[in-house]
């Protein structure tokens, strides 16, 4: 039986910001980095470039933490009418319990 292996690759990115701008995100480089990552995740999700799962991977959050994170920041769920129709079609295939 083949073993399942998940290898996570991380790209490190350096961003240079004027001190005055960086201080708007935090007092330490770690705080600034975290806030910049959160803002990038929010924008990526809003633009449809990042999925819910990718936001979680990016920020080290589970499903429900991402839900709360996006909700707290007023980010609407990326869920279209086509997504709803697909979900309804899937539900219609499930046999009813009697």
């Amino acid at each position: 039986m083949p073993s399942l292996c998940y290898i996570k690759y991380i790209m490190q990115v350096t961003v240079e910001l004027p001190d005055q701008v960086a201080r708007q995100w935090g007092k330490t480089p770690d705080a600034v980095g975290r806030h910049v990552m959160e803002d990038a995740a929010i924008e990526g999700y809003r633009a449809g470039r990042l999925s819910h799962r990718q936001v979680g991977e990016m920020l080290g959050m589970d499903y429900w933490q991402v839900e709360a994170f996006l909700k707290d920041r007023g980010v609407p769920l990326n869920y279209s009418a086509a997504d709803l129709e697909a979900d309804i079609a899937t539900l219609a295939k499930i046999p009813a319990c009697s």
Side-chain angles (χ1 to χ4, degrees):
M1 175 179 230
S3 65
L4 297 176
C5 181
Y6 177 73
I7 300 173
K8 190 175 192 178
Y9 295 99
I10 303 290
M11 179 186 292
Q12 186 171 355
V13 177
T14 302
V15 177
E16 294 182 14
L17 298 170
D19 285 344
Q20 199 172 17
V21 173
R23 277 191 228 114
Q24 294 179 29
W25 275 295
K27 294 180 180 180
T28 67
D30 286 343
V32 172
R34 179 64 186 191
H35 284 100
V36 169
M37 288 277 290
E38 288 177 354
D39 287 354
I42 289 168
E43 179 55 32
Y45 183 78
R46 279 188 175 139
R49 290 188 308 270
L50 294 176
S51 69
H52 188 283
R53 181 184 306 261
Q54 289 170 319
V55 170
E57 289 174 2
M58 191 172 167
L59 301 177
M61 296 179 178
D62 66 26
Y63 179 88
W64 296 110
Q65 290 170 321
V66 172
E67 285 287 301
F69 170 79
L70 295 173
K71 180 181 177 188
D72 290 347
R73 285 150 183 84
V75 180
L77 181 64
N78 283 348
Y79 191 76
S80 67
D83 294 330
L84 176 61
E85 289 175 19
D87 287 345
I88 290 170
T90 299
L91 287 172
K93 295 176 185 175
I94 299 172
C97 296
S98 47

